Amino acid sequence: MSPPATGYGEREGSIWLDGEFIDWRDARIHILTHAMHYGSSVFEGERAYNGTIFASRLHTERLIESARQLDIDIHYTVEEIEQAKADALRRNNLVDAYVRPIAWRADGEDMGVASIKNPCRLAIATWEWGRYYGTDETGVVLDISRWQRPSPDTIPCHAKASGLYMICTIAKHAAMKKNCSDALMFDYRGYVAEATGANIFFVKDGEVHTPLPDCFLDGITRQTVISLLKKRNITIHERHILPEEMTDFEECWLTGTAAEVQPVKTIGPYRFAIGAITSEMVSAYSQLVRT
């Protein structure tokens, strides 16, 4: 994934902010914004293909639900957010693009852990973004992170909350220092969980295995791929997976809005081939989102 020609804060275009469009470079927040200090923000990552945002309404509904779980009140309806996203694409003359809605607790009367008196703000940015893992067709290389996905008793694990990505960032940084594209994370029990921003699938003997999302986000792309597998009568097992089981898995891929369907070549000492089912899912997903 090549970096932008300029920093993301210095790009051209317009950003939808609290009901109106402003110049991209004017989309600033105060240093005492609550979300900056306490992580009180939620977001979505979406892709538009041929001018249409794939699974757009599902993303908007998840944004509102994530906010509810963090006690953030988004004062916009699903329909209003849907219209704002479509308007943002048109305003920036984008057809194939990434869409980033984000809602957060702003600066206000509260400046501590509590933020009840602080207003919620909502912004939507859109930009062109290529393949998340680059153009290598041979499959990505994953490190195995020392960081684990926490217990659902300790975090709102099914919210797409910004603060929950802190360990993902440091896990990916550590992986990149080892010349890996990403890192696989186990959960608090030691089961295989997910990559830092993508769900994971494995193949063995013509059947698909994927971790049960009981302590991490059940991605919309993950759900889409499961549907594609079922339509092809491919047996799929959603279950807890022990790390040592990766020795016997033959194929592996990642799923996510940014990642789409991405084959995996290695995870630590474990190696995988880009087999028939992986190739079928790459093709099927690409065709689905573009029709």
Side-chain angles (χ1 to χ4, degrees), residues 41-255:
S41 62
V42 296
F43 70 98
E44 282 295 314
E46 311 175 30
R47 277 194 188 269
Y49 301 90
N50 301 323
T52 300
I53 301 171
F54 180 70
S56 182
R57 192 176 184 91
L58 290 177
H59 281 287
T60 298
E61 290 171 347
R62 188 172 66 178
L63 178 75
I64 292 173
E65 173 58 21
S66 293
R68 186 197 66 78
Q69 291 186 40
L70 268 67
D71 200 25
I72 297 173
D73 188 9
I74 295 179
H75 298 290
Y76 293 95
T77 65
V78 169
E79 288 72 22
E80 288 170 333
I81 297 172
E82 285 292 288
Q83 186 62 55
K85 291 192 295 184
D87 291 344
L89 283 173
R90 285 193 293 269
R91 178 89 174 203
N92 290 298
N93 299 312
L94 293 172
V95 176
D96 295 312
Y98 189 77
V99 182
R100 171 56 60 88
I102 181 166
W104 70 96
R105 286 284 189 180
D107 56 295
E109 295 181 49
D110 285 331
M111 193 54 209
V113 172
S115 60
I116 293 175
K117 297 178 182 178
N118 293 14
C120 168
R121 304 191 70 184
L122 177 65
I124 300 168
T126 60
W127 65 89
E128 291 183 340
W129 202 12
R131 296 186 61 181
Y132 185 69
Y133 289 110
T135 59
D136 188 352
E137 301 290 343
T138 65
V140 295
V141 175
L142 304 188
D143 184 28
I144 297 177
S145 177
R146 70 183 182 89
W147 296 98
Q148 299 177 327
R149 298 310 302 167
S151 164
D153 295 330
T154 63
I155 60 169
C157 63
H158 296 113
K160 195 170 178 67
S162 303
L164 303 186
Y165 282 80
M166 178 184 66
I167 57 173
C168 299
T169 296
I170 55 179
K172 184 155 184 172
H173 285 180
M176 292 170 69
K177 290 174 183 176
K178 299 177 182 178
N179 294 319
C180 297
S181 298
D182 205 345
L184 174 68
M185 304 177 78
F186 300 153
D187 70 17
Y188 65 102
R189 297 159 296 194
Y191 295 127
V192 172
E194 59 177 350
T196 62
N199 295 123
I200 193 164
F201 290 77
F202 301 97
V203 176
K204 179 182 178 182
D205 297 332
E207 298 183 351
V208 174
H209 303 255
T210 189
L212 188 69
D214 58 358
C215 66
F216 56 86
L217 201 66
D218 182 5
I220 289 172
T221 308
R222 177 186 184 275
Q223 296 171 35
T224 301
V225 168
I226 288 175
S227 176
L228 290 171
L229 289 164
K230 289 180 177 179
K231 286 180 180 178
R232 287 158 175 77
N233 294 317
I234 296 173
T235 300
I236 180 163
H237 306 276
E238 296 183 72
R239 63 180 182 85
H240 295 141
I241 298 173
L242 291 167
E244 54 266 31
E245 292 185 69
M246 289 190 283
T247 300
D248 298 322
F249 289 139
E250 302 147 8
E251 304 177 35
C252 178
W253 70 80
L254 302 175
T255 63

